[in-house]
Amino acid sequence: MTERPRRWRRRLLMALAVVAVVGFAARYWLAGGHGVADESWVLLDLQDGYAEEAADSPLQRLLGEPETSFLDLLLTIRDAGEDARVAGMVVRIRPLAIGWAKAQEIREALVKFRSTGKPLHAYLELELSGGSMEYFLASAADRIHIPPGAAAPVTGLLAQYVFLGGVWEKLDVDMQVLKIREYKTFGDMLSEKTMTAWHREMANALLDSLYGQLVDAIAADRKLEPAAVRAAIDAGPATPAELQRAGLIDDTEFLDELRVALVGEDGKWLSAADYAAARRPLPDAPAVSGQVAVIYGVGAVTTGESESGPAGGDSSMGADTLIEAFNEVAADDDIAAVVFRVDSPGGSALASDLIWQAAQRMRATKPLIVSMSDVAASGGYYVAAPGTRIVASPGTMTGSIGVVMAKPNVRGLLGKLGVNMVEMQRGEMASMLSVNESFTPAQLTRIKATMDHVYDLFLQRVAEGRGLDMAQVNEVGRGRVWTGAQARQNGLVDELGGFFTAINAAKTAAGIPVEERVGLVFYPRHKGLMARLTKALGTRLLGAAPEWWQQVQRATLAWRYPAGSVLTLMPQEVTIR
């Protein structure tokens, strides 16, 4: 590259940085200038997904990425409840792209808002593509409204599992999968044509747990019998009048009609984004005492550095990045405790153990509270095992203590295509990871021994962290995934709750009164603005990939690892709608 293009690129990046910073500052100044008027109503829009990590505002605004992180969302709801200037809230809910644990945390925040005595209204904008999760959130409100053309707010839960075993037969590929133990069914997706008995048992147990949580929450807040809720769900799509007769909604009206009813003909409500920008400082807010670090472990566990996909999607939890974060926190005397926020289906067994060691070492210096988001399974649970205390939502996918490995032999497929691969080796095990050969009996013996070692080490790490013996961990392990509610019954989780529950646990462990506020310091540290701009501009196109392709990439997570990698990866991505 010549010097002129380099100068041009630097100038472009500098200009973009200036635009981002100036735009952010202008918005902040304008919002702060207007402030929050007394008797304000806040309109909170809930739709799509929310990235775990705290928003890096200037860059995200510049690139058009979502401005609200999951924590930002929870804090906005909490502050609106505590803010004397806010009279009430309307939550407009459209189709969401989050897991059940995040939905439960949002619902918990809405319930807390409602407990302040301020009115909370839910406005559901759903068609047949809407789902039970959205109604689950709406049921936390005092009143539920839908427009006349809406339908089907609750239709039950559906879990779908894909099996590719029949594909390999047609392609003449020998897909070899080794797993420890029987519930470690990620490999089944690659090698089988349908569910095994163990997989079906586990899947039914997960559905039963989540369905019970859904029905019980709706029944409690809508003051209905659980049997009546199940009957309404089984009845399927319903008209607004039928929904009202069933007690599932209160009114049918358009949003502007609801606005007039609540704030008057000339009244307006404040958007949640504008409220979030203008709300601080809150009147009579308690002083901050002490600091708590929040370390994010998001995405598949890998060696090397963490990667962040667009809007938090396709992220990875890199061992080097997490080790650096834990070391920085351990050395900072101003930090009283740590919350390790995990949202990961697992990944590399080696990387999981490296992160485990850094977390274990940090735990010797200050309390480590683990907060589990939608998923903290397999390697995601491995890295959480050192926690002084583990907090999970009832719907968190957790556990999956097991090991899996997959390797295809594509010699037959290559032959059909007229491709011939010639290999030469020195050493009996040299061809072990070749995709042109199947495992020999001797290789299988050695690989299984290695995987047994990893599994035993996994059991040992969990047993040490949880105060159990290895036999007890094995009983609830064997690759099985549990909901957070089930995991608590099995001793894998200490307490049910979300992020704020974990923060309170961190305060208690550090000797800070729960009613006091603490400053949050986020890790891993963001890179410099120029480095982030360069990287983000290079990855922006990834966000344009069709949703179906992004789902394929998530479903085939194991394929990002080299053939023969020993993985602590949960059986499959389980999306239950």
Side-chain angles (χ1 to χ4, degrees):
M1 183 181 290
T2 64
E3 185 61 28
R4 180 174 295 177
R6 287 196 185 97
R7 287 200 301 269
W8 178 88
R9 186 178 181 183
R10 284 197 296 268
R11 288 170 182 168
L12 173 62
L13 291 173
M14 285 297 295
L16 291 172
V18 170
V19 170
V21 173
V22 170
F24 171 68
R27 173 172 176 156
Y28 183 82
W29 180 80
L30 289 172
H34 288 124
V36 178
D38 289 339
E39 297 298 309
S40 291
W41 278 73
V42 175
L43 174 63
L44 174 66
D45 280 302
L46 290 180
Q47 63 180 9
D48 300 327
Y50 296 90
E52 276 288 347
E53 296 190 61
D56 192 5
S57 299
L59 181 61
Q60 290 190 342
R61 282 162 174 73
L62 176 65
L63 297 176
E65 296 178 8
E67 299 176 2
T68 305
S69 72
F70 187 63
L71 179 55
D72 289 333
L73 173 65
L74 297 181
L75 289 173
T76 298
I77 298 171
R78 185 197 69 179
D79 288 351
E82 298 178 355
D83 193 336
R85 299 166 297 183
V86 174
M89 180 183 289
V90 174
V91 185
R92 178 166 55 183
I93 306 173
R94 300 179 223 189
L96 290 159
I98 58 177
W100 279 94
K102 281 192 178 71
Q104 288 170 335
E105 288 198 59
I106 297 171
R107 193 178 192 280
E108 184 179 335
L110 294 174
V111 169
K112 184 71 178 296
F113 175 92
R114 184 179 172 184
S115 72
T116 65
K118 298 178 182 181
L120 175 65
H121 293 255
Y123 190 79
L124 276 168
E125 291 186 2
L126 298 176
E127 299 183 88
L128 288 178
S129 59
S132 301
M133 180 186 292
E134 289 78 8
Y135 183 81
F136 170 76
L137 285 171
S139 65
D142 295 292
R143 296 184 68 83
I144 300 176
H145 314 259
I146 66 171
V154 58
T155 53
L157 303 182
L158 173 68
Q160 294 178 314
Y161 300 87
V162 176
F163 296 92
L164 303 175
V167 174
W168 310 127
E169 286 184 3
K170 291 179 172 59
L171 297 178
D172 199 9
V173 172
D174 180 19
M175 178 62 71
Q176 293 182 286
V177 172
L178 306 176
K179 62 181 182 181
I180 301 176
R181 297 280 194 260
E182 63 270 27
Y183 293 101
K184 197 68 178 178
T185 50
F186 185 95
D188 293 359
M189 178 193 72
L190 298 175
S191 61
E192 302 296 324
K193 296 179 181 178
T194 189
M195 280 184 164
T196 64
W198 298 286
H199 193 173
R200 188 172 297 278
E201 175 194 352
M202 178 173 66
N204 275 318
L206 291 173
L207 271 175
D208 286 343
S209 180
L210 288 178
Y211 192 56
Q213 294 169 32
L214 170 70
V215 170
D216 290 346
I218 293 173
D221 281 313
R222 295 299 297 174
K223 296 179 174 54
L224 299 170
E225 290 297 322
V229 175
R230 291 191 178 91
I233 292 173
D234 291 340
T239 66
E242 290 170 334
L243 293 171
Q244 195 161 359
R245 284 196 296 271
L248 295 180
I249 66 168
D250 297 290
D251 297 294
T252 302
E253 57 194 326
F254 290 104
L255 186 61
D256 59 346
E257 295 172 335
L258 175 60
R259 177 185 58 78
V260 171
L262 294 177
V263 299
E265 191 70 43
D266 300 322
K268 295 181 180 179
W269 38 44
L270 192 63
S271 75
D274 288 340
Y275 172 71
R279 72 190 193 275
R280 300 292 177 84
L282 293 179
D284 303 320
V288 172
S289 60
Q291 291 186 345
V292 170
V294 179
I295 298 179
Y296 285 105
V298 178
V301 184
T302 64
T303 54
E305 295 189 352
S306 298
E307 296 288 341
S308 296
D314 198 31
S315 298
S316 68
M317 188 196 315
D320 290 354
T321 303
L322 268 292
I323 291 170
E324 181 181 2
F326 278 115
N327 289 343
E328 287 184 21
V329 168
D332 191 337
D333 294 333
D334 292 331
I335 292 174
V338 179
V339 170
F340 184 20
R341 177 73 171 181
V342 179
D343 192 8
S344 171
S348 164
L350 171 60
S352 299
D353 200 51
L354 294 174
I355 297 171
W356 172 88
Q357 194 267 344
Q360 182 77 1
R361 187 172 59 242
M362 198 285 305
R363 175 180 167 171
T365 68
K366 54 200 68 179
L368 174 62
I369 310 300
V370 174
S371 173
M372 294 179 168
S373 184
D374 284 330
V375 182
S378 203
Y381 189 82
Y382 197 127
V383 300
T388 310
R389 191 166 184 81
I390 296 179
V391 180
S393 292
T396 300
M397 296 290 122
T398 188
S400 191
I401 300 167
V403 186
V404 66
M405 177 180 183
K407 187 192 82 162
N409 174 1
V410 299
R411 178 191 289 272
L413 174 60
L414 294 179
K416 287 183 175 181
L417 298 174
V419 178
N420 182 36
M421 182 185 295
V422 176
E423 296 180 335
M424 303 174 71
Q425 71 181 74
R426 296 294 185 274
E428 292 297 321
M429 297 292 172
S431 64
M432 183 175 66
L433 302 183
S434 169
V435 295
N436 201 41
E437 302 285 347
S438 297
F439 291 126
T440 67
Q443 290 169 351
L444 280 173
T445 298
R446 295 311 309 150
I447 291 170
K448 287 179 179 178
T450 299
M451 293 177 68
D452 280 330
H453 166 73
V454 173
Y455 181 66
D456 288 343
L457 187 61
F458 199 162
L459 296 181
Q460 179 183 331
R461 301 304 195 210
V462 175
E464 290 174 359
R466 304 303 303 151
L468 304 169
D469 60 50
M470 289 179 61
Q472 290 175 297
V473 179
N474 180 62
E475 185 61 30
V476 297
R478 292 147 55 209
R480 181 157 182 171
V481 181
W482 307 94
T483 64
Q486 294 168 330
R488 185 172 183 271
Q489 293 173 348
N490 292 325
L492 297 178
V493 165
D494 293 298
E495 186 175 0
L496 295 180
F499 181 82
F500 293 135
T501 301
I503 291 294
N504 287 339
K507 292 179 189 176
T508 299
I512 301 173
V514 171
E515 63 273 12
E516 294 186 12
R517 289 284 166 85
V518 292
L520 301 182
V521 186
F522 298 99
Y523 294 83
R525 297 288 196 184
H526 287 297
K527 297 179 180 178
L529 179 60
M530 296 303 294
R532 294 199 305 273
L533 279 169
T534 303
K535 175 176 175 56
L537 289 172
T539 60
R540 179 103 170 103
L541 290 177
L542 293 176
E547 176 59 26
W548 66 267
W549 177 246
Q550 295 181 42
Q551 290 178 0
V552 169
Q553 288 181 306
R554 289 192 290 267
T556 55
L557 182 60
W559 294 0
R560 72 167 60 187
Y561 299 95
S565 295
V566 177
L567 302 177
T568 48
L569 193 64
M570 73 176 287
Q572 280 180 246
E573 179 176 288
V574 181
T575 302
I576 301 176
R577 298 294 298 173

